[in-house]
Amino acid sequence: MIVGRLSSTMWLHLVVILSSLQIQTVISIDTKFPQSVCEIQQKDGDYIIGGIFKMYASDTCDGEMLTDRMSFIEAMTYAIEAINNRTDLLPGIDLGYEIRNTCDDEDITMWTIISLASSPGTYTDTCPHPKRTNTGQLIGIVGPARSAISIIAAKVGRIFAIPVVSFYATSEELTDSERFPFFFRTVPSDQYQAKVIVDILHHFNWKYVALFYSLDSYGIHGARELVRLAETFDICIVINMPVAVALPASEKDIKDIAAGLSDHDKVSVIVSFLEERGALAVQQAVRRLETSRKLTFIGTDGWNPTFDLFSDFADVLVGGIFIQFYSELPETFPEYYSELPNNREQSSQWYQETLNQISATDNCTDRTSCPVPEVHWNTQQVISAVYALAYALDASVQRNPHQNGSSDQTIDGWLLKKNLLGISIPLGADKYFRFDQNGGVPGKYQITNWQFNGQYDLKNIGTWDALQDTQLSLEEDTIQWATRNTKVPISLCIEECQTGYIPVPQEKKCCWGCQKCNDFAIIVKDNNASICQDCLNTQWPDENFTTCVLIEESFLGYRDPVFILSVIGAIIGIILTALAAAGLCYYSEHFLIKACSRELSSINLIGLGLLCVVVILNLLRPTNTTCVIIDVFISTSFCISFAPVLLKVNRIWRIFSLKPGQYRLPFTSPRSQLIIVACIIMIEVLIAISSLSSARSKPDILIPPERKPYLEIYCRFGNGFIVSCVYNAIIITACSYYAFRARRVPDNYNESKFIALSVYSTLIVCLAAIPVYTTAVDVAQKIGALSAPLLLNTYLSLLCLYLPKIYAIRYKTASSTHRSPSRRKSQHIGQGINTISDGELFNTVE
């Protein structure tokens, strides 16, 4: 009997349970449980390790054998015999075993474990088959495989303080060491497997997938963990459907699965957190779709295509990725297993039945020539479970210095549990097997791919190891996809957006369409989502719409009409100014030239020439230097051109405003006029110089009202330039005022009328140019608005004041009229005007 640390309350519960189970078992064992439950494979020993396995394919626990599961049974007996042959492990102690068939049934599992934990003969009296002969103490149980069955086994194991070491149960629920303190497993829990699946989905960028899971502890907890992890990687589980654990699958389940896959036609990856029966239902539903759509399956450890159950769906599963526990069998086991057909005494009765089944199927006359049952890929975990119990027992046995071991000691289950948590089993060079605090092991998996290369087979394509920095390691070149090419399948419900577009959610769950960003926006990642982000006004997206790059500023091109017209206009203006200056010099002694004041006219012509030069300077690419030069030249050129005009028109008005008796006007001599002009110009120069130190003009970017990858550079005039303009505006306004006052002078003194025409026109053009310049949307308009008043003032002054005079002097005779002004003037201003010298009069009137 097992001695455990059971409280009085637990003993009471145990007595009630045992009594109830014994009564139910005795009454109903023949009617409820299949006869195969009574089958036992046993070997007596000092201590017994129990084994509970599923051996038959059908739910009725009879008929066809699970050929690949035979390796579990034979691996258990192989490991126990290997331990018994060792001298360094359990010396002097002989291990025995008792192996039962649980049929994957919860009630049978509970009855079997209670039977194992009880005295021989207690629960097998109703079985007609061999009775139990084991007399040794049961120290632990290897199995069962399914998580749902393992939960029942773990609960019963807790009552009897018997460690249950599963070689296949992975449910996260079993991690609770408080509920299941005596449960251990040699495989990692589903939390690792869920992480493997999510890592694979993330690695291949599969964001739109279907998930089918079994309605048991294995499927529910595994699916829950997978969904939780998928959210962190922005993976959408668009179909999250449970599948009943039944064989055959219900028609409703198959229809529901097919309908879900049909409604979500963008799904190309199916995750199956299922055991073989649920996985079969999914395969049947996929076959029913009757579509050319290629689906990639990700199978968990609960099933894979090598199972006989899926032989009709081998073509559907090609390209699937399947997760298996990492396993390295002992080198001697494959050879041992292959020799079992020749060694009936060493093999179990179920193995013999399997050989008979293979012989009948393959029509083999000699069983030794028939194919050997396949070794299940998870067989190593059974061997690890046996060794774990053996090492824990070895640590629990009290040593006697006069003998190798003690075969009559009763081992306390709690001590055995403690030692199980502390063992470290060597598996080779630098490799050890050990349990964590919850009775589990770190996750390590073999990742396989179902391929067709003349025949169907699973190929290793990588590993996943929780203890490695890079957990997922895949050899992608070796993967064969469902599409039978090297291109990774796409499982996304998203349009393939062109450059400059971002995905946006659609009404359909987890589906995305495309939305174009602004032409001036780039696409950036924000919390794993793509958003449009506008570039700065001076930037524009690159070709890939991933980076904002500075727009190279452009300026007025040589072929631009404004550039061409400005250059032509400025050159013509310079030529005309030069002709006027030449004529003025050549005919400097002519009375018409003297009458218009040669000195002031010369200064005026200099200003007009500078205005034309400014038009050309304004076409230079703006820099700090050119902007300052243009600023100074415009303000001073205007002043140089209009200051002499102001004095001219002012003098004319003053002369014809003389009262009788006035004989001479002050400040009308050439010298005084030049001094006044120089003072006016000097004030302008001082204003311009002051602006250079406080508010100078400088280059700036002209941003168009509609965003485009085009920026122009221009000179932004500073506040000092505005002061200069105000000063020039005062001069022009004064010119207009005196021109207006002198509008009634005699016809022979008509220079004031031409001055008035020039000044009025310039003033109007300047007033019109200001709003045009300030509201211009491109540099060409600004340059045109700035050049127009400069050139217009030049042309009007030349055409109104100088060129007609030179033309008249050159082609007409004016000598007969040069005295008439004094006579007409005397009629208007009285006899006092006769005292003005002839030269002064010529400098005052025509």
Side-chain angles (χ1 to χ4, degrees):
M1 295 292 291
I2 300 300
V3 179
R5 297 177 183 175
L6 299 178
S7 64
S8 58
T9 303
M10 294 184 69
W11 272 112
L12 179 61
H13 290 169
L14 178 60
V15 170
V16 172
I17 292 173
L18 290 177
S19 300
S20 174
L21 285 173
Q22 183 173 5
I23 294 172
Q24 292 180 8
T25 303
V26 170
I27 293 174
S28 61
I29 184 68
D30 292 329
T31 58
K32 179 180 180 182
F33 291 168
Q35 193 62 39
S36 60
V37 173
C38 296
E39 297 174 352
I40 303 173
Q41 178 77 18
Q42 59 184 329
K43 175 184 177 297
D44 199 7
D46 300 322
Y47 298 97
I48 306 299
I49 297 178
I52 51 178
F53 303 96
K54 178 184 179 181
M55 302 161 187
Y56 294 89
S58 68
D59 287 341
T60 58
C61 211
D62 55 12
E64 187 176 346
M65 306 294 296
L66 291 171
T67 58
D68 61 340
R69 304 296 178 92
M70 292 302 106
S71 61
F72 292 161
I73 301 171
E74 302 306 329
M76 179 174 175
T77 59
Y78 161 85
I80 290 176
E81 294 300 334
I83 293 170
N84 287 336
N85 292 328
R86 290 177 58 170
T87 59
D88 61 330
L89 180 61
L90 295 174
I93 295 178
D94 191 31
L95 283 180
Y97 56 81
E98 184 170 324
I99 301 174
R100 299 285 197 92
N101 175 26
T102 64
C103 304
D104 249 4
D105 183 272
E106 294 181 4
D107 293 337
I108 295 176
T109 299
M110 180 183 296
W111 177 85
T112 300
I113 297 177
I114 294 175
S115 176
L116 287 170
S118 304
S119 299
T122 304
Y123 284 98
T124 56
D125 292 339
T126 58
C127 288
H129 290 334
K131 308 300 180 182
R132 294 178 58 197
T133 61
N134 290 329
T135 58
Q137 177 188 350
L138 180 72
I139 61 168
I141 296 173
V142 174
R146 278 184 58 207
S147 295
I149 305 300
S150 294
I151 290 174
I152 300 299
K155 288 181 177 180
V156 178
R158 178 182 182 182
I159 295 175
F160 289 98
I162 299 174
V164 176
V165 185
S166 175
F167 57 92
Y168 218 140
T170 59
S171 173
E172 182 67 17
E173 184 179 1
L174 291 164
T175 307
D176 190 346
S177 59
E178 292 186 2
R179 289 181 61 197
F180 312 109
F182 283 86
F183 179 79
F184 297 82
R185 51 185 162 191
T186 57
V187 292
S189 71
D190 286 334
Q191 66 172 343
Y192 291 108
Q193 189 165 200
K195 182 67 166 63
V196 176
I197 295 172
V198 170
D199 282 354
I200 292 173
L201 295 175
H202 179 66
H203 178 81
F204 292 112
N205 196 34
W206 292 330
K207 302 289 188 180
Y208 191 74
V209 300
L211 170 62
F212 299 100
Y213 61 93
S214 55
L215 276 173
D216 56 13
S217 178
Y218 169 75
I220 293 172
H221 288 85
R224 182 185 301 165
E225 180 68 11
L226 192 146
V227 171
R228 185 188 70 82
L229 292 173
E231 290 178 354
T232 64
F233 288 92
D234 197 28
I235 297 171
C236 177
I237 309 295
V238 65
I239 302 176
N240 190 356
M241 185 180 297
V243 180
V245 182
L247 191 68
S250 68
E251 185 66 19
K252 181 180 182 301
D253 279 351
I254 296 174
K255 285 184 177 180
D256 289 345
I257 294 169
L261 293 173
S262 179
D263 292 341
H264 300 87
D265 56 348
K266 295 293 184 181
V267 169
S268 64
V269 173
I270 297 176
V271 177
S272 300
F273 230 111
L274 299 163
E275 296 181 2
E276 59 266 30
R277 290 174 287 187
L280 180 62
V282 176
Q283 306 311 314
Q284 292 171 333
V286 171
R287 181 78 80 186
R288 188 171 293 187
L289 287 176
E290 296 181 355
T291 177
S292 59
R293 174 173 159 204
K294 298 297 183 182
L295 297 172
T296 300
F297 291 87
I298 298 182
T300 55
D301 56 70
W303 70 283
N304 68 63
T306 61
F307 292 0
D308 295 337
L309 204 58
F310 304 108
S311 58
D312 294 335
F313 301 96
D315 59 325
V316 176
L317 295 172
V318 167
I321 296 176
F322 296 89
I323 301 167
Q324 300 176 349
F325 305 123
Y326 191 84
S327 180
E328 293 183 6
L329 283 169
E331 295 180 357
T332 58
F333 180 76
E335 182 180 356
Y336 167 84
Y337 194 66
S338 65
E339 293 295 328
L340 282 179
N342 302 321
N343 248 323
R344 293 191 178 186
E345 295 181 357
Q346 291 185 357
S347 60
S348 66
Q349 55 184 316
W350 300 291
Y351 185 84
Q352 296 300 322
E353 290 184 36
T354 302
L355 291 180
N356 293 333
Q357 177 179 306
I358 294 174
S359 177
T361 303
D362 294 357
N363 195 22
C364 300
T365 57
D366 183 5
R367 290 199 314 177
T368 58
S369 63
C370 291
V372 177
E374 182 183 358
V375 177
H376 193 282
W377 55 269
N378 196 41
T379 302
Q380 168 60 41
Q381 315 307 330
V382 176
I383 298 175
S384 296
V386 173
Y387 269 89
L389 289 169
Y391 271 87
L393 176 62
D394 186 68
S396 303
V397 173
Q398 296 179 2
R399 302 297 180 186
N400 188 316
H402 300 292
Q403 62 184 49
N404 291 331
S406 177
S407 61
D408 58 355
Q409 296 182 30
T410 299
I411 305 302
D412 180 41
W414 290 92
L415 175 62
L416 198 64
K417 172 203 169 186
K418 178 182 177 182
N419 289 329
L420 273 170
L421 292 173
I423 62 169
S424 181
I425 305 172
L427 298 178
D430 301 327
K431 293 182 180 179
Y432 294 90
F433 175 90
R434 57 176 60 90
F435 294 110
D436 60 24
Q437 60 183 1
N438 295 316
V441 294
K444 187 173 184 181
Y445 298 88
Q446 187 75 46
I447 301 173
T448 60
N449 178 225
W450 184 244
Q451 300 181 359
F452 179 76
N453 299 300
Q455 63 180 4
Y456 294 102
D457 195 10
L458 275 176
K459 300 292 184 182
N460 291 336
I461 59 171
T463 59
W464 191 95
D465 192 344
L467 300 179
Q468 299 296 322
D469 293 335
T470 303
Q471 295 176 334
L472 179 64
S473 175
L474 291 175
E475 298 176 7
E476 295 188 43
D477 295 340
T478 63
I479 300 176
Q480 183 182 106
W481 298 111
T483 54
R484 303 298 176 91
N485 56 38
T486 58
K487 186 177 181 181
V488 177
I490 297 173
S491 193
L492 299 168
C493 187
I494 181 173
E495 294 181 26
E496 188 173 349
C497 295
Q498 302 176 2
T499 303
Y501 288 76
I502 61 170
V504 292
Q506 295 181 336
E507 292 184 2
K508 199 171 184 179
K509 180 183 177 182
C510 298
C511 288
W512 296 75
C514 295
Q515 175 181 302
K516 191 178 186 305
C517 295
N518 292 326
D519 291 339
F520 47 84
I522 60 172
I523 299 173
V524 297
K525 293 289 185 181
D526 183 23
N527 294 328
N528 295 326
S530 297
I531 62 172
C532 298
Q533 178 176 295
D534 292 349
C535 293
L536 299 177
N537 289 335
T538 58
Q539 297 176 333
W540 198 261
D542 61 0
E543 294 181 356
N544 298 322
F545 286 84
T546 56
T547 306
C548 291
V549 296
L550 288 174
I551 301 173
E552 186 177 355
E553 302 94 345
S554 60
F555 189 63
L556 203 62
Y558 297 118
R559 298 181 180 180
D560 192 283
V562 173
F563 186 93
I564 296 172
L565 292 175
S566 296
V567 172
I568 294 174
I571 292 175
I572 294 175
I574 291 173
I575 293 173
L576 293 178
T577 302
L579 290 175
L584 196 67
C585 293
Y586 187 77
Y587 299 109
S588 61
E589 298 301 326
H590 196 279
F591 72 93
L592 288 180
I593 301 301
K594 290 182 178 181
C596 67
S597 181
R598 290 171 297 185
E599 294 78 8
L600 294 179
S601 295
S602 299
I603 297 175
N604 180 242
L605 287 174
I606 293 173
L608 297 177
L610 289 175
L611 289 176
C612 294
V613 173
V614 169
V615 171
I616 296 177
L617 291 176
N618 202 32
L619 300 176
L620 297 177
R621 185 176 182 84
T623 62
N624 288 326
T625 302
T626 56
C627 287
V628 169
I629 293 174
I630 293 171
D631 181 335
V632 174
F633 265 66
I634 290 177
S635 56
T636 54
S637 297
F638 255 110
C639 186
I640 292 172
S641 63
F642 277 99
V645 174
L646 173 61
L647 290 183
K648 277 189 178 185
V649 70
N650 174 266
R651 189 175 59 178
I652 293 173
W653 174 75
R654 288 171 62 203
I655 289 174
F656 286 97
S657 298
L658 287 174
K659 297 179 180 180
Q662 288 183 311
Y663 302 104
R664 186 175 295 275
L665 291 173
F667 307 111
T668 57
S669 65
R671 181 178 180 182
S672 59
Q673 294 282 292
L674 289 175
I675 293 174
I676 295 174
V677 167
C679 292
I680 295 174
I681 295 174
M682 186 57 64
I683 293 173
E684 177 60 45
V685 172
L686 292 175
I687 293 174
I689 293 174
S690 300
S691 67
L692 296 180
S693 58
S694 59
R696 69 172 62 190
S697 300
K698 55 185 177 181
D700 200 1
I701 303 299
L702 182 63
I703 299 175
E706 295 183 2
R707 294 288 298 273
K708 53 186 178 180
Y710 178 76
L711 291 178
E712 293 181 304
I713 188 171
Y714 75 106
C715 286
R716 178 181 291 277
F717 296 114
N719 294 331
F721 179 76
I722 297 175
V723 175
S724 299
C725 290
V726 170
Y727 180 74
N728 284 323
I730 294 172
I731 296 175
I732 296 173
T733 304
C735 288
S736 301
Y737 172 77
Y738 287 114
F740 177 79
R741 295 296 300 271
R743 68 187 184 281
R744 299 182 182 276
V745 299
D747 292 340
N748 282 353
Y749 300 98
N750 58 5
E751 187 180 31
S752 62
K753 296 180 180 179
F754 292 122
I755 292 174
L757 176 61
S758 173
V759 172
Y760 294 161
S761 301
T762 302
L763 186 60
I764 292 172
V765 172
C766 288
L767 292 176
I770 291 173
V772 173
Y773 183 87
T774 55
T775 59
V777 295
D778 58 51
V779 170
Q781 293 179 6
K782 286 187 175 293
I783 291 178
L786 191 61
S787 299
L790 302 180
L791 292 176
L792 183 61
N793 176 64
T794 300
Y795 286 131
L796 287 175
S797 298
L798 291 173
L799 295 176
C800 294
L801 300 180
Y802 300 106
L803 296 181
K805 285 185 176 62
I806 296 173
Y807 177 81
I809 293 171
R810 177 68 180 81
Y811 296 103
K812 295 184 179 181
T813 302
S815 58
S816 59
T817 61
H818 74 282
R819 292 288 182 182
S820 61
S822 61
R823 292 195 299 270
R824 180 169 295 185
K825 181 178 174 83
S826 62
Q827 294 175 5
H828 288 272
I829 61 177
Q831 295 180 352
I833 197 63
N834 292 327
T835 60
I836 300 176
S837 65
D838 216 24
E840 289 177 349
L841 185 58
F842 287 145
N843 284 329
T844 307
V845 295
E846 284 187 349

